Amino acid sequence: MTDNQYKIFKAVRKYRTLPEILTATGISDYLTLQEDAGVGMLDFSDCEMDEKTIVTLTNPAAEAFESRRRSDWAEIRAWITFAIAAWGAFTGTIALFLK
């Protein structure tokens, strides 16, 4: 999944209506939105493509989005764990020198 797809999927989950999604992503029209999201990744509630059109993610898109979110959180948790371990090593070393 590209960063642009992640941005689109995140906007679809947050805003749901086509005009709000287009504004949030900075994309000019629904054709470009559909191309950037990938084939078969978005479902549109109707063919009008107006302010009442609701956009949802298809199952493959939702799975890819959730997988990306989980991997992003796993990376953040790894950095937090590393920072806590480094802080513990630092304070432990200082404590040994002060004894």
Side-chain angles (χ1 to χ4, degrees), residues 63-78:
E63 289 173 10
F65 179 71
E66 291 300 325
S67 174
R68 168 84 182 257
R69 279 184 41 189
R70 278 192 300 272
S71 69
D72 286 351
W73 278 109
E75 187 176 320
I76 291 169
R77 284 193 310 259

Side-chain angles (χ1 to χ4, degrees), residues 75-96:
E75 187 176 320
I76 291 169
R77 284 193 310 259
W79 277 107
I80 290 171
T81 302
F82 174 75
I84 291 170
W87 179 255
F90 175 73
T91 56
T93 304
I94 296 297
L96 284 175

Side-chain angles (χ1 to χ4, degrees), residues 3-64:
D3 290 339
N4 195 30
Q5 283 178 318
Y6 183 72
K7 179 178 152 183
I8 291 169
F9 294 171
K10 193 173 176 181
V12 168
R13 283 275 176 100
K14 184 174 183 181
Y15 297 111
R16 295 183 37 105
T17 61
L18 184 61
E20 290 176 325
I21 293 166
L22 293 175
T23 302
T25 58
I27 296 174
S28 60
D29 61 352
Y30 78 94
L31 291 173
T32 308
L33 178 73
Q34 205 166 12
E35 285 177 10
D36 289 353
V39 176
M41 294 297 194
L42 299 178
D43 280 333
F44 296 92
S45 64
D46 57 31
C47 296
E48 300 299 320
M49 302 303 168
D50 58 5
E51 66 276 349
K52 295 179 184 175
T53 302
I54 295 175
V55 183
T56 56
L57 298 177
T58 61
N59 286 338
E63 289 173 10

